[in-house]
């Protein structure tokens, strides 16, 4: 993971997950050889864990070992930067996959507050921020359609915050027992933070 000048970014968060799922099954120890696996009693296996997470080292590098074969996504984020999400990656048994360098562009803070019909704050609402249909590229010609969707969760006061690229964004807010709300906002580097509310 690198910055705009190509220097490694330390401390960026890296997450690997199965498409459409919050958890990624992982094997905590080494994979057995086929002959060893055949000799194991029925029902033997490895415990499955949560989504794999790590952080980049001082040179911006990271490694996630002992992944199960299959399709996965890699998400990378850091404070003040717009998150990155890879396309689906296919991991083969015994394969070592090296990703190309990922540059995380600086972002603009998009903040808001989620409230109900009585103007009470809604905690735990999911806020999904994506490129708006037909939206234009932001400053610097960044292609909004190529950027990761950004997800934020409201706190006890109903507040949420996320870093996004300037441009036209679509904000979808959902919470248990409430109707989803979607609105389009224009985010400018020089404008006050846009806000989104659900009622």
């Amino acid at each position: 993971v690198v910055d705009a000048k190509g220097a490694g970014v330390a401390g960026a968060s890296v997450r690997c997950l199965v498409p459409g799922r919050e958890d990624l099954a992982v094997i905590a120890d080494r994979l057995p050889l086929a002959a060893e696996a055949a000799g194991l009693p029925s029902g033997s296996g490895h415990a499955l864990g949560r989504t794999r997470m790590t952080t980049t080292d001082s040179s911006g590098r990271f490694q996630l070992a002992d992944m199960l074969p299959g399709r996965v996504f890699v998400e990378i984020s850091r404070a003040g930067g717009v998150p990155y999400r890879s396309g689906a990656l296919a991991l083969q048994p015994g394969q070592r996959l090296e990703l190309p360098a990922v540059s995380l562009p600086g972002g603009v803070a998009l903040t808001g507050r989620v409230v109900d019909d009585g103007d009470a704050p809604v905690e735990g609402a999911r806020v999904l921020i994506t490129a708006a249909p037909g939206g234009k590229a932001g400053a610097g010609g960044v292609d909004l359609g190529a950027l990761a969707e950004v997800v934020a969760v409201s706190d006890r006061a109903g507040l949420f915050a996320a870093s996004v690229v300037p441009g036209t964004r679509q904000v979808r807010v959902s919470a248990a027992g409430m109707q989803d709300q979607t609105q389009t906002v224009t985010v400018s580097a020089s404008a006050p933070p846009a806000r989104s509310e659900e009622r």
Side-chain angles (χ1 to χ4, degrees), residues 101 165 192:
V165 168

Side-chain angles (χ1 to χ4, degrees), residues 112-137:
R113 183 168 182 257
V114 183
V115 296
D116 62 18
D117 289 334
D119 207 35
V122 177
E123 181 180 4
R126 183 176 187 267
V127 182
L128 175 65
I129 305 166
T130 60
K136 296 181 179 179

Side-chain angles (χ1 to χ4, degrees), residues 22 35 75 80 87 90 113 123 125 139 142 145 159 164 166 168 172 177-178 187:
E22 291 300 321
E75 295 181 344
R113 183 168 182 257
E123 181 180 4
V142 178
L159 301 173
V164 300
T168 306
R172 182 184 181 92
M178 297 184 180
V187 182

Side-chain angles (χ1 to χ4, degrees), residues 108 166-167 186-193:
V108 176
T186 299
V187 182
S188 170
S190 59

Side-chain angles (χ1 to χ4, degrees), residues 74-122:
V74 174
E75 295 181 344
I76 305 174
S77 61
R78 69 180 174 96
V82 178
Y84 163 87
R85 181 170 181 165
S86 72
L89 305 172
L91 297 179
Q92 303 300 323
Q95 178 186 18
R96 179 183 176 89
L97 183 62
E98 179 79 14
L99 298 180
V102 173
S103 178
L104 300 179
V108 176
L110 175 65
T111 63
R113 183 168 182 257
V114 183
V115 296
D116 62 18
D117 289 334
D119 207 35
V122 177

Side-chain angles (χ1 to χ4, degrees), residues 8-9 11-12 19 28 30 47 83 89-90 108-109 111 114 132 137 141 143 146 149 160-161 163 186 196:
V9 175
R30 75 174 183 84
L89 305 172
V108 176
T111 63
V114 183
D143 180 8
E149 35 181 57
F160 67 87
S163 291
T186 299
S196 174

Side-chain angles (χ1 to χ4, degrees), residues 2 14 18 32 34 44 50-51 66 70 73 79 85 90 92 102 106-107 112 118 156 163 168 180 198:
V2 298
V14 182
V18 171
S44 295
R50 302 287 296 175
T51 297
D66 298 325
F73 285 107
R85 181 170 181 165
Q92 303 300 323
V102 173
R156 285 189 176 184
S163 291
T168 306
D180 291 2
E198 172 175 306

